Amino acid sequence: MSWAALAEGEPEGPGELRVRRPSLNSEEPEERIAARRPRIAARLEAKRREALGEDPDAKKAEAEELSRSHKQIEESRQRLAKLLNDGTQLLTNIQVAADARETQRRAEEDELKRQR
């Protein structure tokens, strides 16, 4: 079935009821009025939101901002975890180097004692 047929409200198969939507091109004034009502309601709602200072696309922008903020939070957590890991490795390497120097010093001291 075509989209045009669905838009016109044609039945999809035999035995199905035809649901007709109000049309702006109808001969009957009540049907034209019924077709205009949702558009008028949407327009009034947009004006009301504008008067209150709400942005009609605010929800989309807010959702996008939330996803951006979640992404930034995750990137920050990863960066902090990496910094913590790198800092721990640096301190561990410094301690290992100091221990190696101390071991070397003691070995040299023992050798000097033995030679004396």
Side-chain angles (χ1 to χ4, degrees):
M1 171 171 278
S2 70
W3 287 106
L6 284 174
E8 291 297 320
E10 292 180 11
E12 218 173 282
E16 289 191 30
L17 294 175
R18 180 178 179 173
V19 177
R20 188 169 173 183
R21 291 188 219 167
S23 172
L24 291 173
N25 301 326
S26 174
E27 296 290 325
E28 298 190 32
E30 292 84 19
E31 190 175 346
R32 290 192 308 265
I33 291 170
R36 286 189 201 112
R37 281 194 176 134
R39 290 182 14 208
I40 292 170
R43 193 176 321 132
L44 290 174
E45 178 66 19
K47 283 184 181 180
R48 183 190 66 80
R49 286 183 181 203
E50 186 178 322
L52 292 175
E54 295 178 16
D55 186 12
D57 295 328
K59 289 183 181 179
K60 290 180 185 177
E62 187 176 317
E64 183 178 311
E65 184 64 32
L66 282 176
S67 66
R68 252 194 261 153
S69 65
H70 287 304
K71 185 178 178 182
Q72 179 63 44
I73 289 169
E74 184 59 32
E75 287 176 3
S76 296
R77 280 186 186 148
Q78 290 175 353
R79 186 178 299 148
L80 287 172
K82 185 179 182 324
L83 285 172
L84 180 63
N85 187 29
D86 290 349
T88 303
Q89 281 184 343
L90 179 65
L91 290 175
T92 302
N93 290 342
I94 291 171
Q95 185 65 42
V96 167
D99 289 347
R101 280 194 306 268
E102 181 63 20
T103 303
Q104 180 67 29
R105 186 192 65 79
R106 286 182 183 176
E108 289 172 1
E109 190 176 288
D110 287 344
E111 180 62 29
L112 288 175
K113 273 185 186 179
R114 191 186 61 76
Q115 287 177 0
R116 282 188 229 140

